[in-house]
Amino acid sequence: MQQLDNLDWISISLYFLLLIGIAVWVIRKKEDNTEDYFLAGRNIGWFVVGASIFASNIGSEHVVGLAGTGASNKLPLLIYEIHAWVVLMLGWVFLPFYARSGVFTMPEFLEKRFDARSRWVLSIFSIVAYVLTKISVTIYAGGVVVSALLGIDFWTGAIATVVLTGIYTVLGGMRAVVYTETLQAILLVVGAAVLTFIGLDKVGGWGSMVDTLGPEYFNMWRPATDPDFPWPSLFITSTIVGIWYWCTDQYIVQRTLTARNIKEGRRGTIFGALLKLLPVFLFLIPGVIALTLKMRGELHWDNADEAFPVLMSNLLPSGLRGLVAAGLLAALMSSLASVFNSCSTLFTVDVYKKLRPNAPEKKLVRTGQIATVFVVIIGIIWIPIMANISGVLYEYLQSVQSYIAPPITAVFLLGIFYKRINATGAFYTLVMGIVVAFLRITLELVKHNLDADGVLFYLGDMNFLTFGAWFFLFCLIFMVVVSLLTKAPDKEQIVNLTFGTITEEEKKRNKSSYNWVDVTVSIIIILIVIGIMIFFNGK
């Protein structure tokens, strides 16, 4: 592992100066009202929306974890990275409903579609889930990256990045987050693209890499009997997780709600979907390159999660190495800033404002800032716990999300597509789903102490992808049955909130919000996704 030199430090310093400049400019422009602080005044264009969606998704845990996936024979997890078609669903299917309802948060949308009970459950559950997945994993990966790149210890690196990110998120709100993320997205794409290009040249091209690892290594479709990644379960569960993450999660959807109208928001998701095709080539392939070089004895690392930083420090020339290091730091900071802001939005709008409905705007903004500070502190407390995580980081993240996603995806999908679903069905599905998710995580942790022939061991030991698929089906059936056994929702309440209740006026307005270019680019993205699925078949 080569340490950074003076030229590298100059690159990193220039990046931070630019970042501080943008943050200061945004902080001076902002206003003290909730729409400006949490949704950047709902006045953002499609380019910034799309770049922000991409930067929020690609955190350092993503870069580190995805390269680790490529370096550890877990290529089937690639399917989570070709979810560009699911990002399109956000723009074409879900966003019109969110925009029409004028909401700030996803729990707020559930209250409009169902009732306040669903809003409370999703608010609290989302905040807890962010700590369990996004904040903790991002900080852990950030500590690994920073300590590996900058040659400082894990704790110093992790805390420094958390505190720095926390400062501009608290002061600048959502506007600071989306503009700094645009810079970070550009930097990360350029840096990782250069690393992939140099890496492929170093291993002698794609064909040489396939010769070293064997064609079967590049097969993302394992048999249905595969114990780790059976393809039917992989496809179904990854889609469920994808819809939850891209179409219903505050963390991502909040970016589209900052757009000045539906047209800009949808174009932002189309641009975000286009960018979402890049990680396969920018992060997963470097992991495969790192493994190839390791097998040839030209590179050494102990843990697959170290593949990307080690490859970067050894292959890139001075100065460029610093630029990519800055890109990785940017990825870490953009993800942290996004989750900090989303947590403070959820707490302020869905918890505090419900308890204090008459609170003035300035008080709500101040509450959001205090909530962000608390989330930063909780993140730091979580660092030692996450430092003990074993296994490939990306797989850990996907397994936990496979238990969290099914009930939430079921409630949003049926809530929009089936007007007969009522508040009782949604509420009990969310509660049941949360109980089952935590039960599964607990059983997975203690399964070695259970009877190997018992039902509890079977539930705890079942493949996480298979469990996610069956769990989703159970949630759908449960919600339909409960809804049909109870009173149908009032027609007035669900006008324009389901496909079956959209008014003619709204249909015309939605139709005027896109043109043939939007449709054509969306179709091209779907064709590219299908092409990638066919290409990685191990032949």
Side-chain angles (χ1 to χ4, degrees):
M1 190 85 175
Q2 292 183 29
Q3 294 302 313
L4 302 179
D5 60 22
N6 291 338
L7 208 52
D8 294 324
W9 283 107
I10 290 170
S11 297
I12 293 171
S13 302
L14 287 172
Y15 157 69
F16 276 108
L17 283 173
L18 192 56
L19 188 71
I20 291 166
I22 291 172
V24 169
W25 172 70
V26 168
I27 289 165
R28 289 181 65 181
K29 278 186 68 175
K30 80 180 183 69
E31 300 166 30
D32 282 334
N33 63 62
T34 48
E35 192 164 89
D36 191 81
Y37 188 78
F38 296 117
L39 293 179
R42 294 190 197 262
N43 194 33
I44 301 297
W46 65 266
F47 184 87
V48 175
V49 170
S52 178
I53 287 172
F54 176 72
S56 301
N57 172 237
I58 304 298
S60 54
E61 88 286 354
H62 212 102
V63 177
V64 170
L66 192 53
T69 298
S72 59
N73 200 21
K74 288 182 164 53
L75 210 73
L77 288 174
L78 159 68
I79 198 164
Y80 288 93
E81 289 316 302
I82 47 178
H83 272 164
W85 66 277
V86 184
V87 186
L88 293 176
M89 277 184 69
L90 169 60
W92 289 102
V93 179
F94 289 87
L95 180 60
F97 291 102
Y98 299 151
R100 271 196 294 266
S101 60
V103 297
F104 276 58
T105 70
M106 294 300 93
E108 191 182 357
F109 177 78
L110 284 194
E111 181 175 30
K112 292 208 170 190
R113 171 62 179 87
F114 300 114
D115 63 11
R117 294 176 302 171
S118 297
R119 178 176 183 169
W120 275 107
V121 173
L122 187 62
S123 303
I124 304 300
F125 182 54
S126 295
I127 292 169
V128 173
Y130 283 154
V131 174
L132 276 178
T133 57
K134 293 184 175 67
I135 293 176
S136 51
V137 174
T138 303
I139 292 173
Y140 167 74
V144 171
V145 168
V146 172
S147 59
L149 291 179
L150 307 186
I152 55 180
D153 70 277
F154 175 89
W155 277 92
T156 306
I159 291 176
T161 43
V162 169
V163 171
L164 185 62
T165 309
I167 289 170
Y168 78 74
T169 310
V170 169
L171 295 176
M174 188 63 178
R175 197 182 293 274
V177 172
V178 294
Y179 279 108
T180 52
E181 279 180 341
T182 304
L183 165 69
Q184 290 157 344
I186 294 166
L187 187 60
L188 187 59
V189 167
V190 171
V194 170
L195 179 60
T196 304
F197 180 78
I198 292 174
L200 280 171
D201 182 60
K202 174 78 173 173
V203 295
W206 186 267
S208 176
M209 199 160 64
V210 173
D211 290 341
T212 301
L213 299 175
E216 185 53 36
Y217 189 87
F218 295 87
N219 184 11
M220 63 181 282
W221 304 108
R222 305 283 169 85
T225 53
D226 187 85
D228 297 319
F229 304 110
W231 77 263
S233 300
L234 177 71
F235 184 77
I236 294 167
T237 302
S238 67
T239 301
I240 295 162
V241 170
I243 293 172
W244 163 70
Y245 180 88
W246 290 105
C247 304
T248 75
D249 193 21
Q250 182 69 23
Y251 180 70
I252 294 295
V253 177
Q254 191 170 343
R255 270 109 207 93
T256 64
L257 298 180
T258 64
R260 58 179 67 103
N261 52 44
I262 290 182
K263 185 176 185 177
E264 293 291 315
R266 183 183 289 113
R267 284 195 174 162
T269 63
I270 294 169
F271 181 47
L274 207 55
L275 292 174
K276 181 61 187 161
L277 296 167
L278 297 175
V280 177
F281 310 102
L282 300 183
F283 310 125
L284 185 125
I285 299 304
V288 181
I289 291 168
L291 178 64
T292 307
L293 292 174
K294 184 183 180 182
M295 289 181 70
R296 293 177 184 175
E298 297 175 37
L299 206 63
H300 176 73
W301 35 266
D302 300 312
N303 184 324
D305 286 336
E306 297 172 8
F308 193 92
V310 170
L311 184 74
M312 190 205 80
S313 71
N314 282 277
L315 254 61
L316 293 180
S318 179
L320 201 54
R321 191 165 52 228
L323 190 68
V324 179
L328 277 175
L329 294 172
L332 164 65
M333 294 173 74
S334 65
S335 281
L336 278 178
S338 300
V339 77
F340 289 161
N341 189 259
S342 295
C343 272
S344 74
T345 307
L346 284 169
F347 177 80
T348 307
V349 176
D350 289 316
V351 178
Y352 185 81
K353 197 175 179 182
K354 290 291 284 183
L355 298 173
R356 301 276 169 84
N358 298 319
E361 290 281 296
K362 283 196 174 184
K363 177 72 173 172
L364 290 174
V365 171
R366 181 70 59 215
T367 303
Q369 292 174 326
I370 294 167
T372 307
V373 172
F374 267 100
V375 173
V376 171
I377 294 167
I378 291 167
I380 292 170
I381 292 169
W382 261 97
I383 293 173
I385 298 166
M386 290 308 301
N388 293 322
I389 285 184
S390 59
V392 176
L393 193 62
Y394 196 65
E395 191 177 1
Y396 162 82
L397 194 59
Q398 302 310 342
S399 64
V400 172
Q401 290 179 342
S402 298
Y403 316 141
I404 292 171
I408 299 173
T409 301
V411 166
F412 274 87
L413 271 180
L414 283 186
I416 283 174
F417 280 98
Y418 188 17
K419 64 182 181 182
R420 182 60 179 81
I421 297 296
N422 62 17
T424 306
F427 172 69
Y428 283 110
T429 301
L430 286 173
V431 172
M432 176 275 297
I434 291 166
V435 171
V436 172
F438 279 101
L439 178 66
R440 162 68 195 210
I441 292 169
T442 306
L443 290 175
E444 199 171 324
L445 292 171
V446 302
K447 67 181 179 183
H448 300 296
N449 302 322
L450 300 172
D451 175 17
D453 297 321
V455 176
L456 291 179
F457 178 84
Y458 176 74
L459 286 174
D461 192 52
M462 185 189 295
N463 177 283
F464 76 92
L465 295 166
T466 305
F467 180 87
W470 284 112
F471 185 25
F472 178 67
L473 179 63
F474 179 72
C475 288
L476 291 176
I477 295 169
F478 182 87
M479 185 161 41
V480 169
V481 170
V482 172
S483 294
L484 292 177
L485 291 175
T486 49
K487 184 175 173 287
D490 295 330
K491 286 183 180 178
E492 296 76 29
Q493 185 195 347
I494 60 172
V495 171
N496 289 324
L497 296 178
T498 74
F499 274 106
T501 58
I502 301 175
T503 62
E504 288 303 317
E505 184 187 353
E506 283 298 335
K507 284 179 183 175
K508 285 178 186 173
R509 189 176 296 167
N510 186 51
K511 204 164 186 181
S512 66
S513 68
Y514 61 87
N515 58 27
W516 68 270
V517 177
D518 302 314
V519 175
T520 305
V521 175
S522 299
I523 291 169
I524 290 169
I525 290 168
I526 292 168
L527 291 174
I528 293 171
V529 169
I530 294 168
I532 293 171
M533 286 181 172
I534 294 168
F535 181 77
F536 285 97
N537 66 1
K539 292 176 184 174

